[in-house]
Amino acid sequence: MTLPDASSPALRASAPAARPRLSVVVPFYNEGPNVEALFARLVPVLDTLGLTWEIVCVNDGSRDDTVDRLVAAHGREPRIKVVDLSRNFGKELALTAGLAHARGDAVVPMDADLQHPPEMLAQFIAKWREGFDVVVAVRKARVGQNFKQRAFAKMFYWVFDHLSEVKLPREVGDFRLMDRKVVDVINRMPERTRFMKGIFAWVGFKTASIPYEQGERAAGDTKWGFVKLLRFAIDGLTAFSTFPLRVWSLVGMAVSGFAFVYIVLRLLRTLFFGVDVPGYESLIVSVLFMGGLQLITLGIIGDYLGRVFAEVKGRPLFIVRETHGFDPPPNPAAVTTKVVVEETV
Ligand code: UDP
Ligand code: MG
């Protein structure tokens, strides 16, 4: 199937009616109290845009009544569609599932907690109609974050920018509009480590940005603890940079050069001043130092090896338990990037 050219809206208008112009993708994890509040604000905004729309809600294994509320909302408004995942896969994979199910010519991922103001959609659409493939919302201020979190974010961006193959735009989250052709590229990316910020930056395309004020979380707490955030940062870094792997050959060379000079000095000293037994400190210090260095190196190789292991297993990125409102229902094999069916005996 050839996709209509993004630059010609006339072409797209002739797309089959089943395909909405705009898909809003929302991941939900224990967001029960926010479900109705979100739709109450989002649906009226969508209705004013003057285009066909759908809301793809991904239930990311919530343990509260989120999924019941979503299915009830689907009963009242069929354009609200539900993808129920088999367990909690994490926000990045929930978003991946949502992008795989969205059919719109433009797709907007949005958080369920109303921190992303739906009113921005009109500006997104306006920019899209001007011919931009991606429209990102740039946060003016970080609300609801303390000093430690802000410092951590700052440090992460600094390290990431210096080490990785792509630069992450500052204060840009998942809240953005993407043209169908961008979504198709992202859906085709087979990697299992879905660091969405990096993936979005990596694909490129003609991008416009609009500043916005991020609101407070409507209800409930953020789902990110410090450890989860740290793991996320490390995942992002190792998915988009091989620097931590390569740097050790440089360190090794420097240490060997140093050792060589030291050996020469020690030899000369022994030649001119004879054997000198004391030397325990230098010995233990260098043994410990080298041991530590080797363990770090091994650990980092292990991290990458783990990643390669996850990739070669080729498991589906997410598992859909049930969907509501997708007609025809998506083929589960089609929405997962790679399903290995053959087994070599
Ligand atoms: N989320 C999810 N799976 C998770 C964690 C979060 O689908 O494992 C969703 C959550 O329901 C919300 C969005 O991701 O819609 C952003 O989460 P949160 O508001 O906790 O993150 P923050 O805004 O603090 O970055
Ligand atoms: Mg939030």
Side-chain angles (χ1 to χ4, degrees), residues 27 29 31 60 88 90-91 111-113 115 217 222-224:
Y29 178 51
E31 301 278 6
D60 187 18
N88 179 249
K91 181 185 175 181
D111 282 1
D113 56 8
Q115 279 191 301
R217 202 169 215 292
T222 174
K223 309 290 182 288
W224 295 90

Side-chain angles (χ1 to χ4, degrees), residues 123-138:
Q123 297 176 55
F124 279 1
I125 299 287
K127 283 279 175 204
W128 179 48
R129 289 198 164 128
E130 273 175 37
F132 288 96
D133 305 312
V134 178
V135 187
V136 294
V138 182

Side-chain angles (χ1 to χ4, degrees), residues 26-31 34 58-62 85 88-95 110-116 139 143-145 149 174 214 217 219 221-224 228-229:
V26 191
F28 289 81
Y29 178 51
N30 297 342
E31 301 278 6
N34 287 328
V58 182
N59 175 43
D60 187 18
S62 301
L85 300 184
N88 179 249
F89 281 87
K91 181 185 175 181
E92 309 294 295
L93 290 178
L95 208 58
M110 185 187 270
D111 282 1
D113 56 8
L114 282 168
Q115 279 191 301
H116 297 157
R139 233 176 345 222
V143 189
Q145 285 198 326
Q149 285 165 316
D174 303 327
Q214 180 174 294
R217 202 169 215 292
D221 269 331
T222 174
K223 309 290 182 288
W224 295 90
K228 208 169 164 187
L229 212 56

